[in-house]
Each structure stands twice: as C-alpha cells, then as structure tokens.
Amino acid sequence: MSQSIIFTNEINQALAQLLSEMDFNKLFVLTDENTAHYVAPKFGETLYTHNAINITIPAGDTYKNIESLAHVWSELGNNGATRRSLLINLGGGMVTDLGGFAASTFKRGIPFFNIPTTLLSAVDAAVGGKTGINFNGLKNEVGVFNEAKAVIISTIPLYTLPIEEVKSGFAEMLKHSLLKDSSTFNKLLAFDFDNYTPDHLLDLLEESVNVKRDIVAQDPHEKGLRRALNLGHTVGHAFESLAMQRLAPIPHGYAVAWGMVVELVLSHLMLKFDSTILHRYAQFVHDNYGAFHITCDDYPALIALMQHDKKSNRGEMNFSLLNAIGDIKINCEASEDDVKASLDIYRDLMHI
Amino acid sequence: MSQSIIFTNEINQALAQLLSEMDFNKLFVLTDENTAHYVAPKFGETLYTHNAINITIPAGDTYKNIESLAHVWSELGNNGATRRSLLINLGGGMVTDLGGFAASTFKRGIPFFNIPTTLLSAVDAAVGGKTGINFNGLKNEVGVFNEAKAVIISTIPLYTLPIEEVKSGFAEMLKHSLLKDSSTFNKLLAFDFDNYTPDHLLDLLEESVNVKRDIVAQDPHEKGLRRALNLGHTVGHAFESLAMQRLAPIPHGYAVAWGMVVELVLSHLMLKFDSTILHRYAQFVHDNYGAFHITCDDYPALIALMQHDKKSNRGEMNFSLLNAIGDIKINCEASEDDVKASLDIYRDLMHI
C-alpha cells in the first residue's frame, strides 16, 4: 500500500491532481453537517467536475456509531458505488475514522482519501490507518487498520477553528516532538499562541505528521513500536474519563498535554528522564493549557481507570515512557506508588 | 500472514494442538443454533479445558446481517475479549463469513479459526479470507478480506448432512478441478454419490481446497487472477436470483453446477474449449443434479441479472472462462447473442 500525504494550502489543486491520477468510476464525499456547510464549498469546483455525490452524517462523536456507519454503506450502495469508486472523507477525526471504516468494508474495501479539517485530525486521526466507530459505550471498539490512499493536509481549515481546538491538536504535535528530537521539541516550546497565523503551522505540521508516519510504517498493526504513540495517553485517557464522570468533559489534546506531564514525571522516576526538560515542558503546559484539577481523593479512581486501559492485559498499568527525548520505552509497568508519586508531583508542577 | 489449513478427522486433537501453540488470553466459540446443538459437543472436551465462552446466532442466511454482527461484537466486549483473545467460528459459510468479519473488526482485529461444518463451507467459504455480511438486500455487501489463522477441515460433520448439501459443496470441487488439471477432474467425475462415505472425500477435499488456496495466495484481494474462482458464478448467481424471484430457491452449489454448464458452452463458443469435456461434464451434472428449468422467456431476466453482477463495471456481462482445463481466461465479455446461444445449448444438454 503506498500512501500519498500531501502538505499544501493549495488544497483544491492538490485534490484535482490526485483525482486525475486515480482510476475510479464514481466519486463520493463524506462530510458531517458542519463540514458540509463550512468546508466542502472550498472544494466545490473540483468536486462538481467529478459529479461527486455527497453523503452527510450528523456532527459529533456521539454519531460515530453503527447507525451512521450503516447510513454510509446504504448511501454508497444506493448510489451505485462499486469497488472502483472512491470516497473522500472531509472532516475531523470522527469523519475520517468512520468514513475510513465504511470504505474499508464496503464490498470488502474501496479506496478512500482523507482531508482532515481540524489540527487534531491532521496530526493524528487522518494518518496511520486506524479506522473505526464507537460501540457498546466504548470508543473505537470496532474498526480496521487500513490506510487512506491519500491524505491532504493543509492549514486552511484551521482559520475557522477556535484556539482551544488548535491547542488540542498542538498537544499531539508536542508528543511527536518528544518521540523525535530536541530540535523539534524546542521549536514547539517556542510557539506563541498569542501571535501566530495558521500558515506558521504548516511546516511544523509536516514535521510532526512525518514522525507518526515513520512509526506507523514500522508497525502498522500496533504489535509493538507503535505503542510509542501512546505517550501521555494512559494518564490522558484516565483524565478524560474522570472529566466525563464529573460531567465536565475536556478536549482530548488537553488531556494528553496534562497526561504527558504525569508520564514525563514517571519517566524521570523510573527511567531517569532529564528533569530540566520535564520542568520546561510542564511550564509550557501550565502557561498554555492551564491545569486539570485533581486531589488525592481522585487517585483511586484514576488508578482504576488506568488498570482498565486498552493497553492493559491483566489489570497492570501500562505506559509508553521516555529514557530521553527520542528514546522511547514501551510496555513499562508502573506500581501504584510510582503513579501516586507522579500525580503528587504533577500537582506541584501545575501549582494545584 | 501465515495460515494453517489442517485436513484431519481427528478434529478434537487437531484443535487442542493448535490451541496449545497459540498465545491467547480468552477463547470464544461462535455457532449458529444448529451447530451449537449438533457439532459443538464434538469439541466439548477441548473447549471446556479452555473455558471457551459460547456465542450463538440464529441459523440461516437471513441472519447473516448487521444485527447478528452487532450481537457478536457485544458478546465479545461484554465477556472481556481483548486483542489477544481468539474466536473459533464453528459452522457453515454463514457462521465463518460473519464470525470472520466480527473478529476482523473487533478492536480492529483479533485472530480467528474456522471449523467448517458443511462441505460447501469447507471447500469454499472457510478458506480464502472473504468475510462479510448481507446488507441493504445484497449478499456480502460489506466485509473485509482477512484470513483465518487456522482452518480445520474434516469430513466428520458431513455424516449428518443431507445429500443435497454434499452435492452442493461438490459443485465447487468440480469448479476447482476444472481450474487445475484433467486428472483431478476425472477423479471427481468418477465419484459415485450412491456408494460413498464421507471419509472418501477427505483426500479429494484436500486437493480441492489447495487449488483455491494457491489461487488466493497469488491474488488475495481479487484484483485479477482470483476471478478464476468465479467460473460458473456469473450464470450461477443469475439462476439463484431467478429461483428466488420464483420463490423456489435453489442450493448455491447446484446453481454453480448448472452455471458451469452454460459457461463451458460459452468457453467452447468463444475460446474453443473441448466439446467432449463439455459433454461429459454436462452429463454428470444432469445425472446427479437434475436441471434448472428455463425457457427462452427467461432469457431477458437472466441477461439483466448478469449485467448487474458484482463483476460488471459498466453493465457488460463479465465471465471467467476456460481455454482448456487448467487454463483460465478472466474478464471475458460475452455478447447477448453468445449468452442466448449458450442458454439454448444448455437446455439441449439438460434435455429440457
């Protein structure tokens, strides 16, 4: 499977070029109700030229479900899609995950493109081949690994994003930089959210997505190395779930940014990760993301959540940690005492 | 992906051996209501040893649907299946197709075994990696290509099968022999349904399944060569659909046996396939399967069905035909006149 990832702000031209190189008999475009109104028109000319058929699903993670999946399958079938048809997923992670799964399973698989419209989906969901839907109350409970034929990544859609969504995506870029090298990491820590335009992000975005692409290429089905990408996520997911239980959900990227503070503390305690870098990172997070408030009364719930994480096989707490920037160690098991100590230090670093 | 296909009548032992070589944390067994009662007990000891959790779906192709799929996903999830769990599909093609799809998509894929319990599923569905369900009124409209980790093929379950089901599976064996060589073909034409025990079939079955396995290995995703396996199926599917419209459904294998008569006639007309072999084959089919009755009034409906076959991209009639035994030509387009002439000759050969 060869995948084209194109970084450009000439998205219309890039799409026209990609379509001219593909052999397909019908074009379909999946959007949610938001992207249908705000983003799809930007591709109007190209899509119109190819008589693209639009399929729309309701916006929001709640609708990343089996009913929406069945709707996409039906619309493809009823509009005469064959194995030689092409589906373009135009939207955030919800649209690219669900559309990718629908395409991967319709007639046992038709090709699809992803055009992410949020920073988080550009840097995370759109690349790497994870597709799926929520099911039975669990996120991404069913799906397949299957890469988009092409991904067009641009910063154009970011102009209309609230700053919280930009910061949410930026957290995954921070993660990728920690998996790569100090120079990338330092560039991101120097980023100024108060004085930037989305165009500034395109180069950083390309560098970041390539980190993920290189890791996925070595381990597409998450047998080992790919778990590196879970840095910050064992704690991050626990924070997200706790926030849900409090009925005050937090953006995924924020949870990851805070989760990485805790996991860098763990990396320091268990693997001697440099404390200076830890402090610089924690300061950046504190200044730009604020803090997720916890007390020691939350520890038992957080530990229980980590023990039920997808990465856990037998109730242990499983982390992807760092020996140093660019030097990951997957499948680290931490004790309850280590985790509690890390949460204590997280609270100090976040001044709570 | 390495796949073990094991041909044995010591199924219990073979299963125990396979399980001892696998690293899994929980075992699940999918059956339909029939195989749960009649076949699963044969594996009782092995399954009990591993605390296998049974998941049952209603029997029959009608239930090869999204509701049964969701049921399997839920049962896996609610009983604590993880990516390291194993699903055994024990049943006919409906169970192996649906169970294979459920396993391939649960948490983006867990391993599965197939233990086919009909001759048709042993020779066709259980091997080759096609999984899926019916959807939107269409057979196998959604699914994925993904091979079972292991397939155990035996003739034990065949003892309880009605002769019609044995003949139905035998038709796919005839197809495989035509794709291979005259010696295999001649062995099958000498088969005597009035005087046999299932054990006689084990060697022939192994030879037959290996034909399919070799073809699939060269083209797992049906981009080209694998279409060889569609021999007899363009007409066969049209016969099946016509029979459904008449409210008098015919077994799939019978439809294929008759469809191959028409397609060998087409092979003779278009590619000079040897008419002696055609006549010997037609005689065998007539003697063992009887005939599917059609008149020239049925031709327009049959042609319309063939033009809407999955293999058709632009309304043409697409066939996999034979130059000679073992020498397939895929993507043959036949004219309406050729098809009508072949149907005429089919009726002569079938004495109708």
Side-chain angles (χ1 to χ4, degrees):
Chain A
M1 283 290 202
S2 68
Q3 181 185 46
S4 315
I5 306 182
I6 294 166
F7 299 87
T8 180
N9 279 333
E10 304 292 336
I11 36 184
N12 221 338
Q13 266 175 261
L15 179 61
Q17 177 66 28
L18 280 169
L19 291 177
S20 74
E21 291 161 5
M22 282 279 297
D23 176 31
F24 63 92
N25 62 2
K26 259 189 191 178
L27 183 63
F28 293 82
V29 179
L30 179 67
T31 51
D32 68 25
E33 284 163 354
N34 292 335
T35 51
H37 287 106
Y38 300 114
V39 188
K42 294 189 204 294
F43 299 86
E45 197 186 331
T46 307
L47 299 179
Y48 183 79
T49 310
H50 289 277
N51 298 309
I53 296 166
N54 187 228
I55 305 175
T56 303
I57 50 179
D61 200 63
T62 330
Y63 295 99
K64 193 173 137 181
N65 59 19
I66 195 169
E67 288 76 23
S68 301
L69 177 70
H71 175 70
V72 178
W73 282 339
S74 299
E75 288 293 295
L76 288 170
N78 295 340
N79 288 289
T82 74
R83 275 201 200 151
R84 288 183 53 244
S85 301
L86 175 68
L87 177 67
I88 298 178
N89 300 314
L90 181 62
M94 180 272 194
V95 168
T96 58
D97 280 7
L98 187 143
F101 188 34
S104 302
T105 47
F106 181 75
K107 294 190 190 289
R108 299 200 187 92
I110 67 171
F112 64 100
F113 288 179
N114 284 339
I115 306 182
T117 58
T118 64
L119 185 59
L120 188 59
S121 63
V123 78
D124 193 21
V127 171
K130 283 194 178 177
T131 74
I133 56 168
N134 306 329
F135 182 77
N136 206 16
L138 293 165
K139 285 183 70 77
N140 303 317
E141 176 77 342
V142 298
V144 293
F145 289 101
N146 189 29
E147 286 199 330
K149 272 271 177 208
V151 184
I152 302 178
I153 291 179
S154 81
T155 53
I156 302 279
L158 308 190
Y159 279 94
T160 52
L161 281 189
I163 188 70
E164 284 68 28
E165 294 219 22
V166 176
K167 287 185 179 176
S168 192
F170 196 85
E172 295 282 354
M173 293 171 67
L174 286 166
K175 181 191 75 180
H176 291 158
S177 77
L178 284 164
L179 299 175
K180 186 147 186 266
D181 55 41
S182 301
S183 127
T184 314
F185 178 68
N186 291 335
K187 261 188 265 178
L188 294 186
L189 280 209
F191 196 79
D192 179 3
F193 283 107
D194 294 327
N195 296 291
Y196 90 104
T197 64
D199 285 0
H200 292 147
L201 274 168
L202 194 59
D203 287 347
L204 292 172
L205 197 46
E206 177 161 2
E207 200 168 351
S208 187
V209 170
N210 286 340
V211 174
K212 176 166 182 181
R213 186 180 58 181
D214 293 348
I215 290 174
V216 169
Q218 293 172 68
D219 177 25
H221 293 168
E222 205 166 33
K223 303 287 185 197
L225 179 65
R226 185 172 180 156
R227 286 197 168 185
L229 296 168
N230 283 314
L231 177 66
H233 282 65
T234 303
V235 176
H237 284 150
F239 281 178
E240 264 185 293
S241 299
L242 186 65
M244 292 281 278
Q245 289 169 14
R246 291 174 176 173
L247 302 179
I250 52 179
H252 175 69
Y254 280 58
V256 170
W258 294 319
M260 278 196 291
V261 175
V262 182
E263 297 194 13
L264 290 186
V265 175
L266 261 183
S267 299
H268 173 65
L269 297 178
M270 296 174 64
L271 307 173
K272 316 261 182 253
F273 181 82
D274 187 336
S275 67
T276 317
I277 300 172
L278 161 61
H279 281 90
R280 284 177 57 215
Y281 173 74
Q283 187 67 44
F284 182 87
V285 170
H286 175 266
D287 294 348
N288 289 286
Y289 294 82
F292 181 64
H293 284 263
I294 53 169
T295 72
C296 53
D297 290 339
D298 297 311
Y299 291 7
L302 288 170
I303 285 171
L305 285 163
M306 292 180 214
Q307 287 167 337
H308 288 90
D309 189 273
K310 254 196 273 194
K311 293 178 286 302
S312 172
N313 282 319
R314 319 154 258 106
E316 84 286 7
M317 287 183 280
N318 184 303
F319 298 88
S320 301
L321 301 179
L322 291 175
N323 294 302
I325 290 184
D327 182 4
I328 192 91
K329 186 171 176 202
I330 62 169
N331 292 327
C332 300
E333 285 187 29
S335 67
E336 291 197 18
D337 284 348
D338 282 335
V339 172
K340 284 178 187 166
S342 303
L343 291 170
D344 284 341
I345 298 173
Y346 159 83
R347 287 160 64 203
D348 284 346
L349 290 167
M350 296 287 110
H351 314 305
I352 49 177
Chain B
M1 283 291 201
S2 67
Q3 183 184 45
S4 315
I5 306 181
I6 294 167
F7 301 88
T8 180
N9 280 332
E10 304 292 338
I11 34 182
N12 222 337
Q13 266 176 261
L15 179 60
Q17 176 67 29
L18 281 168
L19 292 177
S20 75
E21 292 162 4
M22 281 279 296
D23 176 31
F24 62 93
N25 62 2
K26 260 192 190 176
L27 183 64
F28 292 82
V29 179
L30 179 68
T31 52
D32 67 25
E33 284 161 353
N34 292 336
T35 51
H37 287 106
Y38 300 114
V39 189
K42 294 189 207 294
F43 299 86
E45 198 186 330
T46 307
L47 299 179
Y48 183 78
T49 310
H50 289 276
N51 297 310
I53 296 165
N54 187 227
I55 304 174
T56 303
I57 49 178
D61 201 64
T62 329
Y63 295 98
K64 193 173 138 182
N65 58 21
I66 195 169
E67 287 78 20
S68 302
L69 177 68
H71 175 69
V72 179
W73 283 339
S74 298
E75 288 293 296
L76 287 170
N78 295 340
N79 288 288
T82 74
R83 274 201 201 151
R84 290 182 53 244
S85 301
L86 174 68
L87 177 67
I88 298 179
N89 301 313
L90 181 63
M94 181 272 195
V95 169
T96 58
D97 280 7
L98 187 142
F101 187 34
S104 301
T105 48
F106 181 75
K107 295 192 189 288
R108 298 201 188 94
I110 66 171
F112 64 99
F113 287 180
N114 284 337
I115 306 182
T117 57
T118 65
L119 186 59
L120 188 59
S121 63
V123 79
D124 194 22
V127 171
K130 283 194 179 178
T131 74
I133 56 168
N134 307 328
F135 183 77
N136 207 15
L138 294 164
K139 283 180 72 75
N140 303 319
E141 176 77 341
V142 297
V144 293
F145 289 102
N146 189 30
E147 287 198 332
K149 271 273 174 208
V151 185
I152 302 179
I153 291 178
S154 82
T155 53
I156 302 278
L158 308 189
Y159 279 94
T160 52
L161 281 188
I163 188 69
E164 285 70 26
E165 293 218 23
V166 176
K167 286 186 179 175
S168 192
F170 195 86
E172 295 282 355
M173 293 171 67
L174 286 165
K175 182 191 76 179
H176 291 159
S177 77
L178 283 164
L179 299 176
K180 185 149 189 267
D181 56 40
S182 302
S183 128
T184 314
F185 177 69
N186 291 336
K187 261 188 267 180
L188 294 186
L189 280 208
F191 196 80
D192 179 2
F193 283 105
D194 295 327
N195 297 291
Y196 90 105
T197 64
D199 285 359
H200 292 148
L201 273 169
L202 194 60
D203 287 347
L204 292 171
L205 196 47
E206 177 162 0
E207 200 168 352
S208 188
V209 170
N210 286 340
V211 174
K212 176 165 182 182
R213 186 180 59 179
D214 293 347
I215 290 174
V216 169
Q218 293 173 67
D219 176 26
H221 293 168
E222 205 165 33
K223 302 288 184 193
L225 178 66
R226 184 171 181 157
R227 285 198 168 185
L229 296 168
N230 284 315
L231 177 67
H233 282 64
T234 304
V235 176
H237 284 149
F239 282 178
E240 263 186 294
S241 299
L242 186 64
M244 292 281 278
Q245 290 170 14
R246 291 173 177 173
L247 302 180
I250 53 179
H252 175 70
Y254 280 58
V256 170
W258 295 318
M260 279 197 290
V261 175
V262 182
E263 296 193 14
L264 290 186
V265 175
L266 261 182
S267 299
H268 173 65
L269 296 178
M270 295 175 64
L271 306 173
K272 316 262 182 254
F273 180 82
D274 186 336
S275 68
T276 317
I277 300 171
L278 161 62
H279 281 89
R280 285 177 56 218
Y281 173 75
Q283 187 67 45
F284 182 87
V285 170
H286 175 267
D287 294 349
N288 290 286
Y289 293 81
F292 180 64
H293 284 262
I294 53 169
T295 72
C296 53
D297 290 339
D298 297 312
Y299 290 7
L302 288 170
I303 285 170
L305 285 164
M306 292 178 215
Q307 287 166 339
H308 287 90
D309 189 272
K310 254 195 274 194
K311 293 178 288 298
S312 172
N313 281 318
R314 324 155 251 104
E316 83 286 6
M317 286 184 281
N318 184 303
F319 297 88
S320 300
L321 301 179
L322 290 175
N323 294 302
I325 289 182
D327 182 5
I328 192 90
K329 185 170 176 200
I330 62 169
N331 292 327
C332 301
E333 284 187 30
S335 68
E336 290 197 19
D337 284 349
D338 281 336
V339 172
K340 284 178 186 165
S342 303
L343 292 169
D344 283 342
I345 298 172
Y346 161 83
R347 288 160 63 204
D348 283 348
L349 290 166
M350 297 286 110
H351 315 304
I352 50 177

